[in-house]
Amino acid sequence: MKNIPYHTPLDADTLRAIGIPEPWAFGVADRTRFSELDPLGHINNAAYLAWFESFRIQYMQAYGIGYTGADSPQLVLRQVQVDYLAEMKLAEDYIVTGRASVLRTSSFKMDYAVWSGGSLRTTSHAIIVLLNADGTKRSISPELRDMLKTRDGATDA
């Protein structure tokens, strides 16, 4: 991944140029760390969850989705599933891609993928629920719904 900046949003054109296919239109690059290794010398399964969390923060910021502040929705992770396809080792460059894929009334499904060395290493999906400050469910606004459909190709459930 020559000249790909770490911790910086990558757009669809950049992702295509390095071989990541549609529908992925947003990604973030990084490199595996020693602290992420397990006793067998490969990246610990829990590290991927941290990568997805860091990705979600950049995604929300880049998409202008407010999640802090008095009137912002609280975004709560309800469920996550990870499929580990191939191991990763120390000092590997990788890219996490993600997108909203399915929209419900007050939640949406995010799909993720981890790419390294030109191959898909991990896939995942998570259910994100929007809540009000009092803990009640909050509907996805029409503006947010339209944006996720336009930018990510999300569909209504």
Side-chain angles (χ1 to χ4, degrees):
M1 290 191 329
K2 292 183 180 182
N3 302 320
I4 300 294
Y6 294 154
H7 310 287
T8 303
L10 306 173
D11 63 15
D13 290 338
T14 303
L15 295 174
R16 296 305 158 269
I18 56 178
I20 295 176
E22 291 185 4
W24 307 106
F26 187 88
V28 177
D30 203 349
R31 181 165 229 191
T32 59
R33 294 167 177 77
F34 179 79
S35 63
E36 296 168 329
L37 294 176
D38 69 9
L40 299 176
H42 59 246
I43 300 302
N44 185 291
N45 294 351
Y48 296 85
L49 298 175
W51 297 351
F52 299 146
E53 180 179 29
S54 293
F55 172 87
R56 263 193 315 277
I57 292 168
Q58 289 217 23
Y59 174 93
M60 298 301 173
Q61 290 172 339
Y63 278 39
I65 301 171
Y67 56 92
T68 59
D71 194 41
S72 296
Q74 294 179 13
L75 303 177
V76 177
L77 181 65
R78 180 180 171 268
Q79 177 190 64
V80 66
Q81 178 180 335
V82 182
D83 292 315
Y84 304 99
L85 305 174
E87 72 179 353
M88 292 183 66
K89 301 277 189 174
L90 180 62
E92 280 192 58
D93 291 325
Y94 66 89
I95 296 174
V96 176
T97 55
R99 63 186 279 271
S101 61
V102 179
L103 308 173
R104 297 181 90 62
T105 302
S106 60
S107 65
F108 60 96
K109 177 181 176 188
M110 282 200 78
D111 296 327
Y112 306 98
V114 176
W115 309 83
S116 182
S119 67
L120 180 62
R121 302 296 185 89
T122 304
T123 60
S124 177
H125 74 263
I127 304 299
I128 311 294
V129 179
L130 284 70
L131 299 177
N132 292 306
D134 66 1
T136 58
K137 289 184 179 180
R138 180 176 184 156
S139 294
I140 297 173
S141 70
E143 297 80 17
L144 177 56
R145 185 175 296 278
D146 289 345
M147 181 185 60
L148 295 175
K149 287 179 176 182
T150 300
R151 290 181 96 171
D152 286 356
T155 59
D156 290 317

